[in-house]
Each structure stands twice: as structure tokens, then as C-alpha cells.
Amino acid sequence: MTTAAETPAVRAAANKPSDQPSRFRGALAKAFNGSVATSVLAVVVALVVGAILILAADRDVQRSAAYLFARPGDFFGAVWDAVAGAYSALFQGAVFNISSSYTVGQFFNPLWDTIAMSVPLIFAGLGLGIGFRAGLFNIGAQGQIVFGAILCGYIGFSWHLPVGLHLLLCLLGAVVGGAVWGFIPGFLKAKTGANEVIVTIMLNSVAGFFLGWLLTLAAFRKPGSNNPVSPAVDATARFPSFFGTAVNLGFVLAAAAAVGVWWLMERSTLGFRIRAVGANQDAARTAGMSVAASTVWVMVIAGALAGLAATSQLLASPEQQLNADIAGTFGFDAITVALLGRSRPLGTVLAGLLFGGLRAGGYLMQASTGTPIDVILVLQSVIVLLIAAPPLVKAIFRLPDPERRRQKESKRAKSGLAAEVAA
Amino acid sequence: MRLELRQITKRFGSFVANDAIDLVVEPGQIHALLGENGAGKSTLMNVLFGLYAADGGEILLDGQPVRFSGPGEAMAAGIGMVHQHFMLVPVFSVAENVAMGHEPAKALGLIDLPKSRALVKEISERFHFDVDPDAMVEDLPVGAQQRVEIIKALSRQAKILILDEPTAVLTPQETDELMAIMRQLKAAGTSIVFITHKLREVQAVADAITVIRLGKVVGSAAPTASQTELASLMVGRSVGLGVAKAPAEPGPKALEVSDLSLVEPSGLTSLDDVSFAVARGEILAVAGVQGNGQTELTQVLLGLRHPTAGSIRLDGRELAGLSVREVLDYGVGFVPEDRSKDGMVASFTIAENLVLDQVSAAPFSKAGALDIGAIADNASRQIEQFDVRTRGVDTPIGTLSGGNQQKVVLARELSRDLRLFIASQPTRGLDVGSIEFIHARIVEERDKGTPVVIVSTELDEVLALADRIAVMYRGRFTGIVPPDTPRDVLGLMMAGVPYEEALAEHKAHAATPGALAAGAAPAVPADPEEGARP
């Protein structure tokens, strides 16, 4: 029997050797369930770090820094011009373009691009978020997107079906492709305990090379071309776009998927079980839930959503082809999106829009101010870094950290006691 | 080296784990620290080893007051500790494990492994440990791993060796080997503090015995003291946690367990041919020192683990081999022994926790969709019925006190019609008010005609609730006895003594009351604080 008092001692003594993996999981879980404040502040810090890099890369700033003390005004003017120029270009490239406006539709063209860019991130991010809440660290969205793309693309260019039906089957193909590629690591984890992180990473490579091989086959190669690209997807399978903008039905589906994921996690028994297993596996098992079933379901759903991420690439107008780079870096960026969105559907949508905006705006920023687009990558990386280490954000902004404070207090109490005893 | 602890006090919040404990260990002595689990033995040793800072009292080594701020300092002072759970790196060799922490270094900071190897060899030969310095620790049997821990302590020149429940993980043969090693170490001048709750082992090796109960020294005894004396010291006297309980009216037999066995992957037998039956309207309390198979018994009954052999029949249906889901659906209510680990999801709301194991069925869900309204209604009702003190049904359960958490768990399990109710340690760590409330609810469930199985290591609880008592020792039932069985008889049975023998010993002592407890006053006086134990 262990009383409340002996428990910490026994635990501290007993669990030390086996503590490592669970501590690793705990830290990750914390990162994926962080507070809204952490997410927002991480973005702010990232923008500041980005600004410093913009300055370092700017020629005017470098030149004026040489005679900083002679004419400081030049330097600070250059600093302002560089940062303001780059970020306003980023903004204009992501939301609306002040200079070239003929119609309201064109005025917001950048925003439509942002939305279009965000769709795959939202789809894949939603799936990953479910996994993170279930305690699964699914790094396999990349491979799941590839498999979704393979099935979706093949149906799109090789079957010739009427409008509507064709699109529906393409979507179904994407779902099935991603789900199958998610099922494999889920099943392996449930049955054999295989680490899902390693399996999914490896399956990413497998999927990538499999696609590369498929594109060498006649069935997947565009007739008369030597390049590893498929024929274009039929017009009957493409998403209708809205008012000639870049936004198409894909975004509506992504938004619907977000609502669906919310319902699944908050209002369905399956979501209840997924959350319970994610929060306390032992209690879930004791309550008669199957951890294995939850694991498989989560990976299948995450895979299906990641598979859908491929559709926004393949089924958009103008015509699209399956190629080796179809998944881009969406699978990995989606991890950041889920992280920033705290694994919640609304957060994921907002984070997806932000990242879509960074992608869309980055091009204009590079074109109009010469700021390297790599700054965008740095912004994303800094965001990940800060969200993965909430105490760092809190230290930067001097926010109270309840855990830290408690430790400090007990330390103070202890040293006070020691002083008392010594005296 | 002579070790003296004076008035050591250690508090955790309002709970006093060690209350002014005095202990003297003479050089070359094996001093047994005897007490039930939770009595405060390990806490005391953790204070000595520098893992906890004492709230009061002092430690003297050879008459000199010392103060350790961590295990490193304690080891430097000549104190070695072998924890119940070994602190070894499984993928390191024995020599590497022994070297770890104070590696003998060569030039350039290279580890002098040959030196460590020689050291292991030397100690191993001196005490006939038979440990290969190059063996991987993970390949060694548990007994040998323990010897590695002892070598580790000795290699750091330990003059005082603390063995925390060293036999808990050993087979009987390994236990005998350990006893021999302890005697050898003693002959070599090492003092040993031997923490245990097993009476026979104490009698076998100890030179002096100190008994701790509820954080206090309640007596000391010579190794010649009988097991009855030790048992009565250890378990103390009843304080009568009063549950107004009508006599049981047992109905027909509902649960019949026969020849139940469970063999661990390691080959240890944790359930050994257990058979019992429980009737409707009857509470069977399973008593015993923790780690004697009670946990495994409840796990097997619930279907969390499947028995190696035997059957569990409940109302005519075989439960062995069914999944937890099927067992729960058949009408088994279960309160796990570790509430926060197995009984609830801390981040979930009270309402969610109240339906944790019933969420997939009506009325809480329909076709896979949760009925939020029904879940909330259920929560309000249960909170009122079970007097859960909370701000609202949407409060995360992790923010409640232990007593209120346990009420939620109990409310969940008792809120439906049951064929069998199993509760393990139902009141562990709770305040008196909650204990009484929960005991009353359990008795109420019995009076509804449900067969009830309670597993408890608290003898007070067992005596308060039981209509029959089963005593468990090393995976077997030592016996199933009536609820008015004297405490010291139960204590003996908990140490593996069969009922008749224990009863005979009890009667012999009752005839000569003066012979009780060598060092201690008339056994243990009823302790006024006992009931206040959280």
C-alpha cells in the first residue's frame, strides 16, 4: 500500500529509468496543446527575428551602416525602408494589393492566392492535429499526401467520366490513398507497438520513391513526353473555382473538414475515445476502450485528410499533372500548422491561412524588395522553435510560468528552512 | 559505522510521513525496519539518503551530525542504498554500471574500465557473488541485478547499506541467497538497514527490529520475538472506523472463481490457483500486503489481463477471456486501485469522467454521436447524489480533491445496475469524511443485492467492510475467514501462516498476555491520530 505521502518518493525512485520516453512524450504533448498566447507571441517573435534578417540582407542598410555615426539618419531611414518595405510587400502579396487595383476581385487577388495556398496545409494539419491529441506523433502527412495524389491523379487523368461523378471519385481516391498510407503505421503501432514516428518518416520516403517509379511507367507518363509527369487531369474532375479567382471548391471542403473534425473530436463517441486514449491510456483501457482501435482510427482519419490535401494541387484549374514534386513540403509544413493551431480545428484553419499567406506573400516580397524568400522559411522555423519551447516565449515576454513559480517558491521555502536550521 | 537518527520528521503538506522517529543502527548490525506499506519506512530512508530534506531532527554518523543535500553526499559519507526498483542501465555491462557516477579516470578523462572491472571482480569474489563484470545487466536475472546494486554500493566504500524491500522482486531461492549475502556483509563489518514487511525474513536475519506504523516508531523487538508479536505491532489495534452495517444476507452464489492462475512473462507466478465464490448481497474483502497478487487478481477479473488457467463465472457466464468492454457491459463495476492512473482522465471534465466507460451506449450517445445534454444531466444528478464538491460539471476532474475525485469514480461505477462490484483500495489517501461516505455507499450497494469484492491493504478498511475476509499472500489465498477474525491472526496470515496455525498461535498468546512485544509497551495503544490519516 502506498499512501499519498509515500507516492512521490516511490515514484521518483521507481520510475527514473523508464521515465525518459514518457517525458519526451510529455514535452511534445505540451507543445501541441499550448496556449493561444504562446502561438500568437511566437508569431510576433518570429516577425522580429525575420526583421533582423531582412536588415542583414539589405544592401542599403549595409551601406549606411558604414557611415552610421556620420549620418545616423541614413541608417535608420534605411532600416525602416527595408523592414517596412519587405513586410508591406509580404502583406500586399498575401492580403490585398494597393497599387494594382482595377476591380474589387483583383484588389483581393493576393488574398485568394493565400486561401488557395492554405488549403493543403489546413487539410493535412487537421489530420495531424487529431493524431497529436490522441498522443500519436504522426510525421507521415507527406507520404499520405503522395498516396492521395497517386490515386486522385490516376482517376483524374485515366478515367473519363461525367462532371460531378468524376470529381467525386477523384476525391474518394485521395481519401482512400491517404487513408491506406495512414493505416499502415497505425496498424503496425496497434499490433506490434512499432514507433509511429519512425514508421511514418520511413513511409514518406517509400511513398516518394514509389511515385517516382510510377511516373516511369507508360500508364502514368504523359504520351509523347520524356519527362516524369502524368497527363493532365480531365476538366471534368477539376474543382469549380469561384468568380475566376484562385479560390475553388477545395477551400470550402477544407472548411467543412474543419467543422467535421471539430464534431468528431467534441461530439462523437469515437472522438471521445480518441481524446481519452490520448490523455490517459491506462484509464481509457480500464474503461473498456481499445487503445489499438483508437490508434488505427486516428491514423486512418489523419491519412484521409492528408490525402485530401493533394486534391487542391491536382484538381485546381488550370490543368494540373501528377509529378514527383506534387506534395511539395506541405506534409512537413502542416506539422507546423497543427503545432501553431494547437491541434484544434479553428486554430489549424487560422494557422493554415497564416502560412498560406507567408507562402503567397513571399514571392512578391522577393520580387519587389529583393528580400530573399528564405526569410519565410526562417519565420516558420522560429515559430516552431518557440512553440516547442513555451517557457522560452514566456521568458522573452516575462510572462508568469505557474510551474516555474511553484518550484521557486518551494525552493525558497526550503532554503528558508535551511537557514533557520543553520541559525 | 554507527548510524543514529534523532527525531526525524518529514511532512508532505498536512500529512506527517515521519513523526519524530528515533533509530540507532550499531556497527555490523542488521537492523530491520518493519512496517506495512505506507508506514513511512521508505520516506525515512529517503531522508537518510539525502533524497528528501527532513523537516526536523538530525542524522548522526559515529556521533557526528551530518546533513545531506543529495544522494552524492550520502554516498560520500559511506551510505549506500539499494532501491526496490534498481537504478541500473540495462544496456550497460556490470562494470560500466558500477563505474557510473564516479568513473575511475585515466589521463584525458578516459574511463578506466579495466579498473572498474577488477573492482567488480574483487568484490564479487570476496562475497561469492558470482557476477561477471562483462555481462550486460539486462541479461542478468533479477537476483543478480540486485547483487550488482550491492556491488555498486560497496565499491563506493559504503559502511551502511540500506536495502529497500530487497526481497519484493526475488524468488524464494534468490531471497535465501540474499540472506546469506547479508550475513556475509555483516561479518565484514557493514551495517545494514533492512526495510521490509515480511516477518519471516526479519526473523531470519535481523539483529534488531524497529517497527514503524503510520509514520511513528511503535516499538522495537528482539529477533526472538514471535511472528504474532511482530504482526500485532505492525498492524496495530482497531480504531473502529464505524460503518453502520446490517448483517449480510447472502443470496445465491453469483461469482465463482476457480483455480485462477496468472504467470508473468518473466516466469513469476502472480496468481497461484486462486478459488473463491461471492454471493449476492455479500462483501468479500481481500486483505494482504500489497504486491501479493491483489492487483493482478482485479486485472484478471476485469479482463485487463487474461488468466493463464482457471475460470471466472459470473451469473453463469464465463468471463475469463472476455475483453474489458464485454466484462463492463455484462454488468461489472470497477474502481481501480490507482485512481489518477486508471480511474479518470485528469484533463476531462467531471461530466466526461462520469461517463468514461459508458459513453458508447444509450443514453449518452446515439449512433456514434454524443448526447451532450444527457451527459450533463447525468453529471448534475451524480454530483448531487454523491455530494461531489465542485463549481460545476464542466470543471476538469484533475482540479478536485482526492476524495471528490474518488466520489466521481464511484458514482460512475455505481450508477448502473451491476452484477458484480469490484473496488480496489477504494479509500486510499482520502480524508475521514470521504472514507465514511464511500464505505456507506459500498454497503448500500451490497444491500441492493450486488456481490461486492473489495481489495484493501488497510486492515481497518477490511474489518469495517468485510462479510468474509480472504487473505492473500504470494498470489494465493492463505484462507477465507470470518469478519471477526482477530487482527494478529490476519497479520500472520498476511505473512503466509495458515489460518489454523495462526489461530493457535494467537490463542497461545492470549493465554499469556504478559509475553507480548519485547520492547514495546502493551502492544500499541489506540492511536487517536490514526483515524485522521488522509
Side-chain angles (χ1 to χ4, degrees):
Chain A
M1 196 217 74
T2 333
T3 64
E6 214 174 43
T7 306
V10 171
R11 289 242 171 94
N15 293 350
K16 244 174 211 162
S18 61
D19 214 23
Q20 282 333 101
S22 70
R23 193 181 294 168
F24 164 75
R25 301 229 156 218
L28 279 174
K30 222 183 234 171
F32 285 108
N33 292 296
S35 69
V36 181
T38 309
S39 291
V40 173
L41 293 176
V43 173
V44 172
V45 174
L47 288 174
V48 173
V49 172
I52 294 168
L53 287 176
I54 289 168
L55 294 180
D58 190 89
R59 283 174 187 282
D60 288 339
V61 174
Q62 288 165 2
R63 212 174 299 130
S64 62
Y67 52 91
L68 167 66
F69 295 104
R71 291 168 66 184
D74 275 16
F75 175 71
F76 290 110
V79 164
W80 173 252
D81 285 349
V83 174
Y87 279 152
S88 79
L90 184 64
F91 182 78
Q92 287 182 31
V95 184
F96 55 77
N97 195 337
I98 304 163
S99 48
S100 72
S101 57
Y102 301 103
T103 66
V104 176
Q106 283 172 334
F107 181 67
F108 278 113
N109 256 344
L111 184 60
W112 311 141
D113 287 339
T114 292
I115 292 174
M117 290 275 192
S118 71
V119 171
L121 296 173
I122 293 173
F123 270 127
L126 286 170
L128 294 175
I130 296 176
F132 297 145
R133 289 183 77 184
L136 287 171
F137 299 101
N138 168 16
I139 313 295
Q142 191 73 14
Q144 292 149 15
I145 294 174
V146 169
F147 251 75
I150 290 173
L151 249 68
C152 173
Y154 184 76
I155 295 170
F157 63 71
S158 71
W159 297 6
H160 307 291
L161 299 162
V163 181
L165 180 66
H166 200 180
L167 176 58
L168 205 65
L169 284 178
C170 279
L171 289 172
L172 197 66
V175 166
V176 171
V180 166
W181 216 238
F183 171 81
I184 296 169
F187 180 78
L188 289 177
K189 169 131 188 143
K191 281 287 162 206
T192 69
N195 184 310
E196 76 278 11
V197 178
I198 293 168
V199 175
T200 51
I201 289 176
M202 293 300 139
L203 284 178
N204 285 342
S205 302
V206 174
F209 287 116
F210 183 66
L211 172 59
W213 174 72
L214 281 182
L215 289 172
T216 65
L217 303 180
F220 274 83
R221 179 103 48 94
K222 185 177 180 178
S225 165
N226 281 327
N227 295 329
V229 291
S230 75
V233 171
D234 283 10
T236 46
R238 290 190 211 142
F239 283 135
S241 76
F242 296 127
F243 314 110
T245 64
V247 179
N248 57 37
L249 189 66
F251 182 70
V252 176
L253 290 180
V259 174
V261 168
W262 173 84
W263 185 87
L264 172 77
M265 295 304 280
E266 307 297 333
R267 288 290 181 269
S268 78
T269 55
L270 178 61
F272 187 94
R273 291 199 295 269
I274 290 172
R275 284 188 291 130
V277 168
N280 185 346
Q281 238 180 63
D282 292 314
R285 201 177 285 122
T286 307
M289 301 173 190
S290 164
V291 174
S294 164
T295 304
V296 173
W297 269 114
V298 166
M299 288 305 295
V300 165
I301 295 169
L305 285 164
L308 280 171
T311 61
S312 70
Q313 298 301 101
L314 275 170
L315 307 182
S317 301
E319 60 173 45
Q320 302 290 334
Q321 304 155 320
L322 192 60
N323 61 50
D325 196 32
I326 190 75
T329 59
F330 288 119
F332 298 110
D333 292 349
I335 297 173
T336 322
V337 167
L339 193 61
L340 186 62
R342 298 160 48 245
S343 305
R344 299 301 195 277
L346 179 61
T348 303
V349 170
L350 295 177
L353 285 170
L354 176 71
F355 274 53
L358 289 177
R359 274 173 176 247
Y363 296 116
L364 182 66
M365 184 179 76
Q366 183 166 28
S368 68
T369 68
T371 307
I373 199 162
D374 301 331
V375 167
I376 300 300
L377 200 63
V378 173
L379 288 183
Q380 295 184 2
S381 310
V382 171
I383 289 173
V384 175
L385 202 71
L386 290 173
I387 290 178
L392 186 60
V393 177
K394 286 176 177 148
I396 292 171
F397 289 92
R398 303 199 169 277
L399 291 182
D401 182 348
E403 213 168 288
R404 181 82 52 83
R405 191 193 291 165
R406 215 176 304 129
Q407 279 171 8
K408 244 184 213 166
E409 263 165 23
S410 72
K411 209 177 260 175
R412 206 172 299 140
K414 250 186 220 163
S415 60
L417 188 79
E420 228 169 78
V421 171
Chain B
M1 198 185 280
R2 183 177 193 271
L3 167 72
E4 187 172 357
L5 302 180
R6 274 192 203 153
Q7 299 288 307
I8 295 289
T9 300
K10 177 68 192 168
R11 290 183 208 94
F12 295 98
S14 61
F15 181 80
V16 185
N18 288 159
D19 191 357
I21 290 189
D22 289 316
L23 183 73
V24 178
V25 182
E26 301 292 346
Q29 188 187 53
I30 298 179
H31 195 121
L33 208 52
L34 185 67
E36 286 189 300
N37 283 301
K41 305 172 305 233
S42 294
T43 306
L44 184 66
M45 288 304 115
N46 284 331
V47 167
L48 171 59
F49 200 51
L51 286 165
Y52 289 156
D55 294 319
E58 57 179 347
I59 303 168
L60 296 109
L61 284 179
D62 283 337
Q64 297 297 312
V66 287
R67 202 169 181 88
F68 306 133
S69 63
E73 292 180 22
M75 282 190 275
I79 298 176
M81 184 155 175
V82 176
H83 295 270
Q84 189 175 353
H85 301 269
F86 306 142
M87 306 290 179
L88 297 171
V89 180
V91 295
F92 276 17
S93 74
V94 171
E96 285 168 328
N97 266 289
V98 169
M100 214 168 49
H102 71 161
E103 303 84 359
K106 289 190 290 198
L108 300 173
L110 293 173
I111 295 176
D112 191 353
L113 214 52
K115 195 171 168 187
S116 166
R117 206 176 283 134
L119 189 64
V120 172
K121 221 173 180 144
E122 189 261 316
I123 296 173
S124 172
E125 275 166 12
R126 180 150 37 110
F127 295 105
H128 311 291
F129 278 1
D130 189 26
V131 172
D132 173 12
D134 295 316
M136 285 294 150
V137 162
E138 61 184 351
D139 299 333
L140 296 176
V142 178
Q145 291 189 16
Q146 191 170 53
R147 292 201 284 275
V148 175
E149 282 278 19
I150 294 174
I151 291 174
K152 219 165 100 183
L154 294 177
S155 74
R156 288 157 169 73
Q157 318 297 326
K159 300 281 184 298
I160 298 171
L161 196 59
I162 306 168
L163 303 176
D164 188 0
E165 301 274 4
T167 58
V169 288
L170 301 184
T171 63
Q173 292 78 12
E174 286 174 327
T175 303
D176 292 342
E177 285 169 28
L178 178 69
M179 299 283 164
I181 287 170
M182 286 168 71
R183 289 194 196 97
Q184 278 178 14
L185 291 170
K186 176 180 133 182
T190 311
S191 316
I192 296 175
V193 180
F194 176 35
I195 302 178
T196 187
H197 54 249
K198 297 182 182 168
L199 303 174
R200 285 167 186 243
E201 294 165 7
V202 167
Q203 285 189 312
V205 292
D207 299 315
I209 302 165
T210 297
V211 185
I212 294 186
R213 173 167 163 73
L214 300 175
K216 287 187 184 136
V217 173
V218 292
S220 50
T224 49
S226 74
Q227 291 199 16
T228 321
E229 292 165 26
L230 294 175
S232 65
L233 273 173
M234 207 165 116
V235 296
R237 283 281 165 265
S238 171
V239 292
L241 272 172
V243 179
K245 178 159 102 65
E249 292 169 20
K253 292 217 180 326
L255 174 70
E256 280 177 273
V257 173
S258 43
D259 308 324
L260 201 62
S261 291
L262 179 69
V263 179
E264 302 290 327
S266 67
L268 281 175
T269 304
S270 42
L271 285 181
D272 190 0
D273 238 356
V274 172
S275 299
F276 63 94
V278 187
R280 287 180 198 290
E282 178 194 43
I283 297 177
L284 176 77
V286 179
V289 173
Q290 188 169 35
N292 276 294
Q294 301 97 314
T295 308
E296 289 78 5
L297 177 64
T298 55
Q299 284 174 339
V300 167
L301 286 179
L302 187 68
L304 277 165
R305 305 182 64 181
H306 297 303
T308 319
S311 84
I312 306 162
R313 295 191 79 79
L314 178 59
D315 289 344
R317 184 172 174 196
E318 178 60 53
L319 296 189
L322 295 189
S323 70
V324 179
R325 185 72 264 151
E326 289 166 317
V327 171
L328 290 173
D329 286 344
Y330 188 56
V332 175
F334 180 71
V335 175
E337 64 177 32
D338 190 338
R339 170 177 61 246
S340 42
K341 179 170 164 283
D342 299 319
M344 57 182 231
V345 179
S347 56
F348 276 27
T349 65
I350 295 174
E352 287 175 319
N353 271 290
L354 276 167
V355 295
L356 199 62
D357 59 359
Q358 296 146 49
V359 75
S360 297
F364 303 122
S365 65
K366 221 175 277 164
L370 298 178
D371 188 336
I372 296 291
I375 291 172
D377 286 348
N378 170 64
S380 320
R381 210 167 45 242
Q382 302 290 353
I383 282 176
E384 202 188 311
Q385 277 187 11
F386 277 79
D387 190 30
V388 180
R389 310 282 165 80
T390 169
R391 278 176 286 122
V393 298
D394 289 329
T395 314
I397 194 172
T399 63
L400 299 187
S401 72
N404 282 311
Q405 289 176 352
Q406 187 72 337
K407 283 181 188 171
V408 170
V409 174
L410 209 72
R412 175 179 75 217
E413 298 305 317
L414 292 178
S415 62
R416 57 206 175 107
D417 286 329
L418 295 179
R419 287 174 189 274
L420 171 67
F421 179 63
I422 306 169
S424 195
Q425 309 293 357
T427 60
R428 169 184 285 179
L430 304 189
D431 58 284
V432 184
S434 302
I435 292 175
E436 278 178 3
F437 183 89
I438 286 170
H439 281 179
R441 286 298 165 134
I442 292 171
V443 171
E444 207 174 281
E445 188 66 25
R446 175 201 77 170
D447 292 342
K448 269 164 59 182
T450 309
V452 177
V453 176
I454 301 292
V455 173
S456 180
T457 52
E458 294 275 4
L459 216 40
D460 289 337
E461 179 159 82
V462 167
L463 291 168
L465 290 175
D467 296 319
R468 283 188 304 146
I469 301 173
V471 184
M472 229 178 158
Y473 175 73
R474 287 205 174 158
R476 305 184 71 104
F477 277 0
T478 325
I480 299 181
V481 297
D484 54 0
T485 307
R487 280 170 165 265
D488 46 1
V489 172
L490 291 174
L492 281 172
M493 292 177 72
M494 282 157 69
V497 181
Y499 179 58
E500 288 76 19
E501 205 178 302
L503 201 62
E505 207 165 316
H506 166 73
K507 278 182 182 144
H509 277 279
T512 54
L516 258 174
V524 187
D527 191 337
E529 265 179 57
E530 259 176 352
R533 186 173 178 208

